Amino acid sequence: MLDKKITAKEWFYNLRTIICDTYLKFENKKKFKVQKWNRSKVKSEGGGEMSIFRDGKIFEKVGVNVSTVSGTLNPNFAKQIPGAKNNNNKFWASGISLVAHFKSPHIPSFHFNTRYIETSTQWFGGGMDMTPCIQDAKQKKLFHKSIKEMCDGHNKDYYNQFSKNCDKYFYLEHRQEPRGDGGIFFDYLNNNWNKNFNFVQDVGLTFLNVSTNIIRLKKNLKWNKNQKNLQLIKRGRYAEFNLLYDRGTKFGLNTGGNIEAIFMSLPPLVKW
């Protein structure tokens, strides 16, 4: 019988290794710094690993986090999580989260995550999006074309639905502006476990493929101080979203997550 928890967890951890190994090919085989953490003093409640690479020739900062945690949610927060209240506020969650910021203003910031959660019910969630500081219509088209082709291979309705979700989710209400060029965002996907898991796997591999292609296309372009300044200002918007609206940040803070891992997504340098 398929152990859904083990299967999902192993995929997230294996994908982390694949992504780190692939990205390091741009950096002359330097290593990610890996830091392990525990949710609590109770080993059965799990923890995670934070892999960070800084100050490369291409990557200014990239973090790839994996975690598997369980336990009991705060009663107030449990009300926001499907099935938690019916499960005595208990939960189990595993996932991978990535954020990449680059030295070159020509390369957009990337965000990707997928997760599997169980309470009295179970579901997958996640997505990917891209945040450029220099607009490039061809780059945006390439990004979305890759995602749409992947989505269409699973369900013809996925791209339209999930891309709209992304545009709605990654929107800074206080500034009345989108965070970036969009992507896809989905949550509470639980209609067929095997099909949903296959989709989640494809989301991860497609993200790695398209982000690598864009890095390769842009990594040798020259840039100036004005363009770098634009990048730092755009990163400020990125930080605002993650601190004010991001669900992953709120989930991590409410489930005893590692603070450094939760704020891994924040850029190394920003400007307002």
Side-chain angles (χ1 to χ4, degrees):
M1 183 176 177
L2 176 69
D3 189 317
K4 296 175 180 178
K5 291 180 180 179
I6 292 177
T7 301
K9 174 185 175 180
E10 287 182 347
W11 165 251
F12 297 137
Y13 280 64
N14 288 338
L15 180 61
R16 181 273 309 271
T17 300
I18 295 169
I19 290 173
C20 291
D21 288 348
T22 301
Y23 279 179
L24 283 179
K25 291 178 181 177
F26 290 105
E27 296 289 351
N28 297 325
K29 297 183 179 179
K30 293 181 181 179
K31 293 182 179 180
F32 277 77
K33 181 179 179 180
V34 179
Q35 178 181 338
K36 296 184 179 182
W37 58 272
N38 295 316
R39 179 174 183 259
S40 69
K41 294 181 180 179
V42 182
K43 287 187 177 181
S44 62
E45 293 189 346
E49 296 180 6
M50 178 174 59
S51 300
I52 299 286
F53 182 91
R54 298 176 184 268
D55 300 321
K57 63 178 183 178
I58 303 297
F59 293 91
E60 192 163 325
K61 178 187 177 185
V62 54
V64 191
N65 292 344
V66 286
S67 64
T68 301
V69 295
S70 61
T72 304
L73 296 170
N74 175 290
N76 290 327
F77 186 65
K79 295 176 183 178
Q80 305 173 38
I81 305 299
K85 188 175 180 181
N86 297 331
N87 198 41
N88 297 319
N89 299 338
K90 294 185 182 299
F91 79 101
W92 182 95
S94 185
I96 178 172
S97 177
L98 174 150
V99 174
H101 300 288
F102 298 84
K103 282 195 171 179
S104 170
H106 290 291
I107 307 177
S109 293
F110 290 109
H111 162 255
F112 152 77
N113 76 85
T114 47
R115 57 193 172 273
Y116 175 60
I117 299 175
E118 286 192 4
T119 54
S120 64
T121 183
Q122 54 191 235
W123 70 92
F124 288 98
M128 66 180 97
D129 69 290
M130 178 175 73
T131 306
C133 67
I134 300 173
Q135 292 300 314
D136 183 333
K138 290 183 178 180
Q139 174 180 268
K140 183 176 180 179
K141 184 177 180 180
L142 169 64
F143 187 65
H144 281 270
K145 182 175 182 289
S146 298
I147 299 172
K148 185 177 187 303
E149 288 177 351
M150 179 274 298
C151 285
D152 286 350
H154 293 269
N155 187 310
K156 296 293 184 181
D157 295 327
Y158 274 3
Y159 175 75
N160 286 335
Q161 178 184 346
F162 296 160
S163 62
K164 288 178 182 177
N165 289 349
C166 185
D167 291 340
K168 183 178 180 180
Y169 177 63
F170 290 107
Y171 189 78
L172 286 81
E173 290 284 353
H174 63 291
R175 291 190 180 273
Q176 296 293 294
E177 65 184 41
R179 185 170 85 166
D181 278 350
I184 56 171
F185 177 77
F186 60 96
D187 213 352
Y188 313 125
L189 194 63
N190 65 352
N191 57 320
N192 181 300
W193 199 92
N194 288 323
K195 289 182 178 180
N196 295 337
F197 180 58
N198 289 337
F199 173 68
V200 162
Q201 289 177 293
D202 262 0
V203 170
L205 294 175
T206 298
F207 167 77
L208 178 58
N209 183 57
V210 70
S211 64
T212 300
N213 286 341
I214 291 172
I215 295 168
R216 191 174 292 115
L217 287 169
K218 295 296 185 73
K219 66 186 180 69
N220 293 321
L221 294 180
K222 294 183 179 180
W223 48 272
N224 56 44
K225 290 183 178 179
N226 288 335
Q227 291 169 325
K228 188 66 178 179
N229 189 60
L230 286 174
Q231 183 191 48
L232 297 180
I233 292 172
K234 188 65 174 177
R235 284 180 179 177
R237 303 290 203 271
Y238 202 97
E240 288 174 11
F241 178 89
N242 282 26
L243 293 173
L244 292 173
Y245 306 116
D246 189 79
R247 289 187 190 177
T249 299
K250 293 178 181 179
F251 187 84
L253 292 174
N254 281 281
T255 56
N258 178 273
I259 296 300
E260 294 301 324
I262 293 169
F263 293 138
M264 171 274 293
S265 62
L266 296 178
L269 295 172
V270 297
K271 181 179 285 189
W272 280 272

